Amino acid sequence: MSAQPAPSTPDALTDLFARVRSLTLALAEPLSDADATVQSMDDASPAKWHLAHTTWFFETFVLRDHVASYRLHDQRWPFLYNSYYEAEGQRHARGRRGMITRPTLDEVRGYRAHVDAALAEAMPRLSPEALALVELGCHHEQQHGELLLTDVKHLLSQNPLQPALYHPERKVPVGMPGPIAWVEWRSGAIEIGHDGSGFAFDCEGPRHTVWLSPHALADRTVCNGEWAAFIADGGYEDPRWWLSDGWAWARREGVDAPLYWERDGEGWTRFGLDGRRVIDPAAPVTHVGFYEADAYASWAGARLPTEAEWEAAAAGFDPDGGNQLDGAGAVEPRPGGGPFGDVWEWTGSAYRPYPGFRAAEGAVGEYNGKFMASQFVLRGGSCATPRGHVRASYRNFFYPHQRWQFTGLRLARDL
């Protein structure tokens, strides 16, 4: 994450900070102390840890480093809530975050209140560099809000009761959508990457020229009903469609359907933050990894888009449109929608630096650059992404086997 000169005034940042911080608390509101403490797998973190880590970010990089009179809330806590910033020293092992039973959830809320008050008091006097870090911290916390939801979803799915904690209203599945329509997009030399206006993470730039061969993209993402047809046709049992590493992973892990799907007679159900429900055949399929997405595309006689193809097509759409997170209600993909929201869309592009990329100096420069290996780019945001967080140049990235996030796919083909 690179801190850029803050384009917002202190008043605007105060408002953004308050909105972001209150939303994160609201997302955790339905959770008990036990819900917020347990860690269901190494890739996930406890909700209580997310609440504290995002607070540690503001305390460390803004208050500690830019407010001379500030004293840490607790000298012991940076060891608990540093994530992976080597420049900040030793830290608690990621896979053992669920062992942090103390401080309690209420004590973490108190930590947040302490840091919020200190930052609100200091905001009018902060330097431009510090204000840029406040803005960066807000976008960082929005990322963790989404992670909090997806991590809680994975945790609750492990509970035999499969509780519905987030507005468990019933939704009636709708019929299948019409066939995919193919839309030809611009080819030739184009520019991608952030244009420098407003906030962006460092990995979104520099803006640069790429070449696109003639191609078409599907007008919507792949839906649950289409994925069920892939399963029924033996898609998880036929190595023809799979990359070698993907086939080995699927065999080793016994994968035969998207994460959270279970057979119910001749049909399927899925687990969500609203409990277990019959799948909606028209809704975008989600919780599939890159290996699965690539196999489906091969089965369908298509491919995954490159991130440049995706960005060029999405640039004309409203990034605040679609089904994105507006509050603490149940979040699941919905039928319809454009390139933003519902599900993160896998691309066929490796997560690597753009030409001319340079990581920022200091600890905050560790966020993106050091992860540019062995991962693939996703675009577009999801139903759990806070509205206002993404843009056409936004690059998310995960390892090819990971699927606990709201990840789906859109098909592409050459012309």
Side-chain angles (χ1 to χ4, degrees):
M1 255 181 301
S2 66
Q4 301 179 359
S8 303
T9 64
D11 287 345
L13 282 177
T14 297
D15 178 67
L16 174 63
F17 178 79
R19 287 188 287 106
V20 168
R21 299 286 281 174
S22 63
L23 176 59
T24 311
L25 281 179
L27 296 177
E29 180 60 32
L31 305 177
S32 68
D33 196 300
D35 292 330
T37 299
V38 177
Q39 181 178 19
S40 56
M41 63 170 175
D42 286 357
D43 283 337
S45 296
K48 187 168 67 177
W49 187 90
H50 287 296
L51 293 172
H53 166 71
T54 50
T55 304
W56 168 87
F57 185 97
F58 288 109
E59 181 181 54
T60 300
F61 298 125
V62 181
L63 294 174
R64 184 199 68 183
D65 292 352
H66 294 273
V67 179
S69 61
Y70 183 78
R71 297 294 177 266
L72 295 181
H73 179 73
D74 191 307
Q75 295 281 347
R76 302 167 297 172
W77 288 15
F79 176 82
L80 300 179
Y81 300 124
N82 176 9
S83 52
Y84 42 68
Y85 294 90
E86 299 286 349
E88 288 299 319
Q90 296 296 310
R91 57 206 174 277
H92 189 68
R94 177 176 182 178
R96 296 182 59 81
R97 290 172 183 168
M99 305 301 290
I100 307 174
T101 58
R102 299 297 177 97
T104 67
L105 179 57
D106 281 344
E107 287 173 324
V108 168
R109 290 190 179 113
Y111 177 37
R112 290 178 67 88
H114 170 86
V115 168
D116 289 358
L119 191 54
E121 194 277 332
M123 189 83 78
R125 303 186 306 277
L126 291 178
S127 67
E129 179 186 2
L131 291 174
L133 287 163
V134 173
E135 185 173 41
L136 175 62
C138 289
H139 289 267
H140 167 256
E141 180 149 345
Q142 287 178 319
Q143 292 178 316
H144 278 273
E146 179 162 8
L147 287 167
L148 186 154
L149 284 175
T150 53
D151 292 357
V152 166
K153 181 174 181 175
H154 188 271
L155 171 68
L156 297 178
S157 75
Q158 309 300 300
N159 188 323
L161 299 179
Q162 299 209 321
L165 297 188
Y166 293 83
H167 297 282
E169 69 272 13
R170 289 281 181 178
K171 294 186 178 67
V172 178
V174 301
M176 283 284 290
I180 282 175
W182 293 96
V183 181
E184 182 176 357
W185 292 95
R186 179 183 169 189
S187 59
I190 68 160
E191 288 191 340
I192 66 166
H194 193 254
D195 63 7
S197 59
F199 177 86
F201 292 111
D202 58 0
C203 65
E204 298 176 52
R207 193 162 177 84
H208 60 287
T209 301
V210 298
W211 182 269
L212 297 184
S213 298
H215 66 281
L217 302 182
D219 67 333
R220 60 170 174 81
T221 54
V222 173
C223 67
N224 287 323
E226 291 163 334
W227 200 274
F230 171 64
I231 296 173
D233 195 45
Y236 279 92
E237 302 164 4
D238 192 336
R240 287 182 299 165
W241 313 125
W242 292 78
L243 296 169
S244 178
D245 285 351
W247 180 249
W249 164 79
R251 297 304 93 195
R252 182 175 63 251
E253 301 297 329
V255 174
D256 60 2
L259 187 63
Y260 306 129
W261 280 34
E262 289 184 4
R263 285 196 182 274
D264 183 15
E266 295 300 313
W268 292 94
T269 65
R270 56 83 180 158
F271 178 76
L273 288 166
D274 53 353
R276 184 156 292 282
R277 302 282 186 259
V278 174
I279 66 165
D280 184 343
V285 69
T286 191
H287 299 299
V288 295
F290 172 85
Y291 289 140
E292 294 165 281
D294 186 80
Y296 180 93
S298 296
W299 173 81
R303 60 172 175 82
L304 298 177
T306 68
E307 64 170 324
E309 290 170 344
W310 192 98
E311 182 175 328
F317 290 82
D318 179 8
D320 292 337
N323 175 26
Q324 300 179 53
L325 182 67
D326 290 304
V331 289
E332 285 294 328
R334 300 172 186 165
F340 294 101
D342 284 308
V343 293
W344 288 100
E345 299 179 20
W346 285 106
T347 74
S349 297
Y351 179 55
R352 292 291 295 151
Y354 287 159
F357 171 81
R358 295 290 184 274
E361 296 294 328
V364 293
E366 295 185 43
Y367 187 80
N368 285 317
K370 69 181 184 180
F371 297 113
M372 290 175 168
S374 305
Q375 305 196 65
F376 284 84
V377 173
L378 300 101
R379 295 298 194 114
S382 81
C383 54
T385 305
R387 195 177 303 280
H389 180 66
V390 295
R391 54 209 151 261
S393 62
Y394 195 107
R395 306 173 81 198
N396 199 357
F397 48 93
F398 285 106
Y399 292 100
H401 67 280
Q402 291 176 318
R403 57 194 196 135
W404 91 107
Q405 293 298 307
F406 285 100
T407 51
L409 70 154
R410 180 184 305 268
L411 298 178
R413 67 182 185 187
D414 299 316
L415 296 179

mmCIF file of all heavy atoms in Angstrom, residues 19-49:
data_model
loop_
_atom_site.group_PDB
_atom_site.id
_atom_site.type_symbol
_atom_site.label_atom_id
_atom_site.label_comp_id
_atom_site.label_asym_id
_atom_site.label_seq_id
_atom_site.Cartn_x
_atom_site.Cartn_y
_atom_site.Cartn_z
ATOM 1 N N ARG A 19 -17.302 6.926 8.952
ATOM 2 C CA ARG A 19 -18.182 5.981 8.249
ATOM 3 C C ARG A 19 -17.547 4.597 8.169
ATOM 4 O O ARG A 19 -18.220 3.584 8.393
ATOM 5 C CB ARG A 19 -18.509 6.507 6.854
ATOM 6 C CG ARG A 19 -19.481 7.681 6.845
ATOM 7 C CD ARG A 19 -19.931 8.045 5.444
ATOM 8 N NE ARG A 19 -18.891 8.700 4.664
ATOM 9 C CZ ARG A 19 -18.207 8.151 3.670
ATOM 10 N NH1 ARG A 19 -18.446 6.891 3.309
ATOM 11 N NH2 ARG A 19 -17.288 8.833 3.002
ATOM 12 N N VAL A 20 -16.279 4.565 7.852
ATOM 13 C CA VAL A 20 -15.601 3.272 7.714
ATOM 14 C C VAL A 20 -15.536 2.563 9.060
ATOM 15 O O VAL A 20 -15.832 1.362 9.167
ATOM 16 C CB VAL A 20 -14.193 3.476 7.125
ATOM 17 C CG1 VAL A 20 -13.358 2.204 7.250
ATOM 18 C CG2 VAL A 20 -14.279 3.899 5.671
ATOM 19 N N ARG A 21 -15.165 3.291 10.093
ATOM 20 C CA ARG A 21 -15.023 2.673 11.409
ATOM 21 C C ARG A 21 -16.366 2.202 11.962
ATOM 22 O O ARG A 21 -16.451 1.129 12.572
ATOM 23 C CB ARG A 21 -14.373 3.669 12.362
ATOM 24 C CG ARG A 21 -12.983 4.119 11.969
ATOM 25 C CD ARG A 21 -11.943 3.059 12.204
ATOM 26 N NE ARG A 21 -11.562 3.003 13.609
ATOM 27 C CZ ARG A 21 -10.747 2.083 14.117
ATOM 28 N NH1 ARG A 21 -10.251 1.135 13.337
ATOM 29 N NH2 ARG A 21 -10.428 2.091 15.397
ATOM 30 N N SER A 22 -17.416 2.948 11.731
ATOM 31 C CA SER A 22 -18.728 2.539 12.247
ATOM 32 C C SER A 22 -19.258 1.321 11.500
ATOM 33 O O SER A 22 -19.909 0.452 12.098
ATOM 34 C CB SER A 22 -19.720 3.699 12.171
ATOM 35 O OG SER A 22 -19.941 4.091 10.822
ATOM 36 N N LEU A 23 -18.997 1.235 10.192
ATOM 37 C CA LEU A 23 -19.451 0.068 9.440
ATOM 38 C C LEU A 23 -18.769 -1.202 9.944
ATOM 39 O O LEU A 23 -19.422 -2.244 10.109
ATOM 40 C CB LEU A 23 -19.182 0.252 7.948
ATOM 41 C CG LEU A 23 -19.530 -0.958 7.058
ATOM 42 C CD1 LEU A 23 -20.995 -1.336 7.183
ATOM 43 C CD2 LEU A 23 -19.169 -0.684 5.603
ATOM 44 N N THR A 24 -17.474 -1.148 10.197
ATOM 45 C CA THR A 24 -16.775 -2.339 10.685
ATOM 46 C C THR A 24 -17.366 -2.807 12.004
ATOM 47 O O THR A 24 -17.580 -4.009 12.216
ATOM 48 C CB THR A 24 -15.276 -2.062 10.858
ATOM 49 O OG1 THR A 24 -14.758 -1.435 9.687
ATOM 50 C CG2 THR A 24 -14.512 -3.359 11.105
ATOM 51 N N LEU A 25 -17.660 -1.875 12.905
ATOM 52 C CA LEU A 25 -18.295 -2.250 14.166
ATOM 53 C C LEU A 25 -19.666 -2.869 13.929
ATOM 54 O O LEU A 25 -20.048 -3.843 14.585
ATOM 55 C CB LEU A 25 -18.418 -1.027 15.076
ATOM 56 C CG LEU A 25 -17.166 -0.590 15.828
ATOM 57 C CD1 LEU A 25 -17.464 0.655 16.649
ATOM 58 C CD2 LEU A 25 -16.649 -1.703 16.731
ATOM 59 N N ALA A 26 -20.422 -2.306 12.987
ATOM 60 C CA ALA A 26 -21.754 -2.843 12.702
ATOM 61 C C ALA A 26 -21.675 -4.267 12.156
ATOM 62 O O ALA A 26 -22.526 -5.111 12.468
ATOM 63 C CB ALA A 26 -22.481 -1.935 11.712
ATOM 64 N N LEU A 27 -20.657 -4.554 11.336
ATOM 65 C CA LEU A 27 -20.508 -5.903 10.796
ATOM 66 C C LEU A 27 -20.254 -6.908 11.907
ATOM 67 O O LEU A 27 -20.661 -8.073 11.807
ATOM 68 C CB LEU A 27 -19.357 -5.940 9.789
ATOM 69 C CG LEU A 27 -19.523 -5.094 8.523
ATOM 70 C CD1 LEU A 27 -18.280 -5.184 7.660
ATOM 71 C CD2 LEU A 27 -20.757 -5.514 7.732
ATOM 72 N N ALA A 28 -19.579 -6.493 12.967
ATOM 73 C CA ALA A 28 -19.272 -7.385 14.079
ATOM 74 C C ALA A 28 -20.364 -7.419 15.139
ATOM 75 O O ALA A 28 -20.299 -8.255 16.046
ATOM 76 C CB ALA A 28 -17.950 -6.975 14.725
ATOM 77 N N GLU A 29 -21.360 -6.577 15.039
ATOM 78 C CA GLU A 29 -22.375 -6.449 16.079
ATOM 79 C C GLU A 29 -23.094 -7.763 16.395
ATOM 80 O O GLU A 29 -23.356 -8.065 17.569
ATOM 81 C CB GLU A 29 -23.388 -5.369 15.693
ATOM 82 C CG GLU A 29 -24.496 -5.144 16.706
ATOM 83 C CD GLU A 29 -23.954 -4.706 18.067
ATOM 84 O OE1 GLU A 29 -22.917 -4.019 18.102
ATOM 85 O OE2 GLU A 29 -24.583 -5.057 19.087
ATOM 86 N N PRO A 30 -23.448 -8.604 15.405
ATOM 87 C CA PRO A 30 -24.180 -9.840 15.750
ATOM 88 C C PRO A 30 -23.334 -10.905 16.433
ATOM 89 O O PRO A 30 -23.873 -11.944 16.837
ATOM 90 C CB PRO A 30 -24.660 -10.350 14.381
ATOM 91 C CG PRO A 30 -24.502 -9.216 13.437
ATOM 92 C CD PRO A 30 -23.350 -8.422 13.950
ATOM 93 N N LEU A 31 -22.036 -10.693 16.569
ATOM 94 C CA LEU A 31 -21.134 -11.746 17.023
ATOM 95 C C LEU A 31 -20.980 -11.754 18.540
ATOM 96 O O LEU A 31 -20.897 -10.695 19.179
ATOM 97 C CB LEU A 31 -19.758 -11.567 16.385
ATOM 98 C CG LEU A 31 -19.706 -11.492 14.857
ATOM 99 C CD1 LEU A 31 -18.276 -11.241 14.394
ATOM 100 C CD2 LEU A 31 -20.260 -12.761 14.231
ATOM 101 N N SER A 32 -20.927 -12.948 19.109
ATOM 102 C CA SER A 32 -20.563 -13.097 20.511
ATOM 103 C C SER A 32 -19.042 -13.003 20.639
ATOM 104 O O SER A 32 -18.316 -13.026 19.639
ATOM 105 C CB SER A 32 -21.038 -14.450 21.035
ATOM 106 O OG SER A 32 -20.295 -15.502 20.415
ATOM 107 N N ASP A 33 -18.561 -12.933 21.875
ATOM 108 C CA ASP A 33 -17.120 -12.928 22.076
ATOM 109 C C ASP A 33 -16.499 -14.198 21.504
ATOM 110 O O ASP A 33 -15.428 -14.159 20.881
ATOM 111 C CB ASP A 33 -16.796 -12.794 23.567
ATOM 112 C CG ASP A 33 -15.347 -12.397 23.824
ATOM 113 O OD1 ASP A 33 -14.445 -13.156 23.412
ATOM 114 O OD2 ASP A 33 -15.114 -11.338 24.426
ATOM 115 N N ALA A 34 -17.185 -15.332 21.662
ATOM 116 C CA ALA A 34 -16.668 -16.586 21.115
ATOM 117 C C ALA A 34 -16.659 -16.551 19.592
ATOM 118 O O ALA A 34 -15.678 -16.964 18.963
ATOM 119 C CB ALA A 34 -17.503 -17.766 21.615
ATOM 120 N N ASP A 35 -17.760 -16.067 18.985
ATOM 121 C CA ASP A 35 -17.803 -15.947 17.523
ATOM 122 C C ASP A 35 -16.619 -15.132 17.006
ATOM 123 O O ASP A 35 -16.043 -15.445 15.963
ATOM 124 C CB ASP A 35 -19.085 -15.238 17.069
ATOM 125 C CG ASP A 35 -20.348 -16.031 17.314
ATOM 126 O OD1 ASP A 35 -20.293 -17.270 17.286
ATOM 127 O OD2 ASP A 35 -21.405 -15.386 17.526
ATOM 128 N N ALA A 36 -16.296 -14.073 17.727
ATOM 129 C CA ALA A 36 -15.282 -13.128 17.270
ATOM 130 C C ALA A 36 -13.867 -13.567 17.589
ATOM 131 O O ALA A 36 -12.912 -12.938 17.123
ATOM 132 C CB ALA A 36 -15.539 -11.751 17.893
ATOM 133 N N THR A 37 -13.701 -14.643 18.360
ATOM 134 C CA THR A 37 -12.375 -15.079 18.785
ATOM 135 C C THR A 37 -11.856 -16.262 17.983
ATOM 136 O O THR A 37 -10.659 -16.365 17.705
ATOM 137 C CB THR A 37 -12.401 -15.449 20.281
ATOM 138 O OG1 THR A 37 -12.760 -14.300 21.035
ATOM 139 C CG2 THR A 37 -11.051 -15.968 20.753
ATOM 140 N N VAL A 38 -12.758 -17.172 17.582
ATOM 141 C CA VAL A 38 -12.350 -18.434 16.972
ATOM 142 C C VAL A 38 -11.834 -18.205 15.557
ATOM 143 O O VAL A 38 -12.326 -17.352 14.818
ATOM 144 C CB VAL A 38 -13.522 -19.428 16.962
ATOM 145 C CG1 VAL A 38 -13.128 -20.734 16.268
ATOM 146 C CG2 VAL A 38 -13.974 -19.714 18.393
ATOM 147 N N GLN A 39 -10.820 -18.989 15.175
ATOM 148 C CA GLN A 39 -10.218 -18.952 13.845
ATOM 149 C C GLN A 39 -10.457 -20.306 13.189
ATOM 150 O O GLN A 39 -10.034 -21.334 13.700
ATOM 151 C CB GLN A 39 -8.721 -18.658 13.959
ATOM 152 C CG GLN A 39 -7.967 -18.567 12.648
ATOM 153 C CD GLN A 39 -6.497 -18.211 12.862
ATOM 154 O OE1 GLN A 39 -5.965 -18.366 13.962
ATOM 155 N NE2 GLN A 39 -5.841 -17.731 11.820
ATOM 156 N N SER A 40 -11.122 -20.322 12.026
ATOM 157 C CA SER A 40 -11.544 -21.581 11.420
ATOM 158 C C SER A 40 -10.499 -22.179 10.490
ATOM 159 O O SER A 40 -10.582 -23.363 10.143
ATOM 160 C CB SER A 40 -12.858 -21.393 10.657
ATOM 161 O OG SER A 40 -12.738 -20.362 9.688
ATOM 162 N N MET A 41 -9.531 -21.394 10.035
ATOM 163 C CA MET A 41 -8.450 -21.897 9.184
ATOM 164 C C MET A 41 -7.360 -20.837 9.130
ATOM 165 O O MET A 41 -7.581 -19.679 9.515
ATOM 166 C CB MET A 41 -8.949 -22.212 7.767
ATOM 167 C CG MET A 41 -9.472 -21.008 7.010
ATOM 168 S SD MET A 41 -9.777 -21.371 5.273
ATOM 169 C CE MET A 41 -10.512 -19.810 4.732
ATOM 170 N N ASP A 42 -6.192 -21.212 8.636
ATOM 171 C CA ASP A 42 -5.067 -20.267 8.619
ATOM 172 C C ASP A 42 -5.321 -19.067 7.717
ATOM 173 O O ASP A 42 -4.810 -17.965 7.980
ATOM 174 C CB ASP A 42 -3.782 -20.978 8.171
ATOM 175 C CG ASP A 42 -3.210 -21.889 9.245
ATOM 176 O OD1 ASP A 42 -3.772 -21.924 10.359
ATOM 177 O OD2 ASP A 42 -2.211 -22.575 8.970
ATOM 178 N N ASP A 43 -6.074 -19.254 6.614
ATOM 179 C CA ASP A 43 -6.326 -18.137 5.704
ATOM 180 C C ASP A 43 -7.255 -17.098 6.317
ATOM 181 O O ASP A 43 -7.275 -15.945 5.871
ATOM 182 C CB ASP A 43 -6.950 -18.642 4.397
ATOM 183 C CG ASP A 43 -5.926 -19.285 3.471
ATOM 184 O OD1 ASP A 43 -4.728 -18.976 3.612
ATOM 185 O OD2 ASP A 43 -6.330 -20.083 2.605
ATOM 186 N N ALA A 44 -8.055 -17.513 7.296
ATOM 187 C CA ALA A 44 -9.024 -16.611 7.921
ATOM 188 C C ALA A 44 -8.483 -16.088 9.240
ATOM 189 O O ALA A 44 -7.649 -16.730 9.885
ATOM 190 C CB ALA A 44 -10.346 -17.333 8.152
ATOM 191 N N SER A 45 -8.962 -14.932 9.652
ATOM 192 C CA SER A 45 -8.604 -14.368 10.947
ATOM 193 C C SER A 45 -9.867 -14.143 11.759
ATOM 194 O O SER A 45 -10.948 -13.910 11.201
ATOM 195 C CB SER A 45 -7.860 -13.034 10.773
ATOM 196 O OG SER A 45 -6.624 -13.224 10.119
ATOM 197 N N PRO A 46 -9.759 -14.180 13.090
ATOM 198 C CA PRO A 46 -10.932 -13.899 13.915
ATOM 199 C C PRO A 46 -11.444 -12.478 13.706
ATOM 200 O O PRO A 46 -10.665 -11.553 13.436
ATOM 201 C CB PRO A 46 -10.404 -14.086 15.348
ATOM 202 C CG PRO A 46 -9.171 -14.928 15.206
ATOM 203 C CD PRO A 46 -8.575 -14.538 13.883
ATOM 204 N N ALA A 47 -12.737 -12.306 13.842
ATOM 205 C CA ALA A 47 -13.317 -10.968 13.690
ATOM 206 C C ALA A 47 -12.703 -9.989 14.670
ATOM 207 O O ALA A 47 -12.454 -8.819 14.345
ATOM 208 C CB ALA A 47 -14.837 -11.036 13.865
ATOM 209 N N LYS A 48 -12.448 -10.446 15.888
ATOM 210 C CA LYS A 48 -11.839 -9.577 16.907
ATOM 211 C C LYS A 48 -10.459 -9.111 16.459
ATOM 212 O O LYS A 48 -10.068 -7.952 16.710
ATOM 213 C CB LYS A 48 -11.761 -10.348 18.227
ATOM 214 C CG LYS A 48 -11.326 -9.546 19.412
ATOM 215 C CD LYS A 48 -11.555 -10.309 20.715
ATOM 216 C CE LYS A 48 -10.661 -11.526 20.821
ATOM 217 N NZ LYS A 48 -10.840 -12.216 22.129
ATOM 218 N N TRP A 49 -9.713 -9.984 15.784
ATOM 219 C CA TRP A 49 -8.399 -9.601 15.281
ATOM 220 C C TRP A 49 -8.527 -8.529 14.203
ATOM 221 O O TRP A 49 -7.756 -7.560 14.186
ATOM 222 C CB TRP A 49 -7.661 -10.833 14.750
ATOM 223 C CG TRP A 49 -6.244 -10.535 14.374
ATOM 224 C CD1 TRP A 49 -5.149 -10.625 15.174
ATOM 225 C CD2 TRP A 49 -5.773 -10.062 13.099
ATOM 226 N NE1 TRP A 49 -4.009 -10.239 14.492
ATOM 227 C CE2 TRP A 49 -4.370 -9.893 13.209
ATOM 228 C CE3 TRP A 49 -6.397 -9.783 11.890
ATOM 229 C CZ2 TRP A 49 -3.587 -9.444 12.149
ATOM 230 C CZ3 TRP A 49 -5.618 -9.331 10.830
ATOM 231 C CH2 TRP A 49 -4.227 -9.170 10.961
#
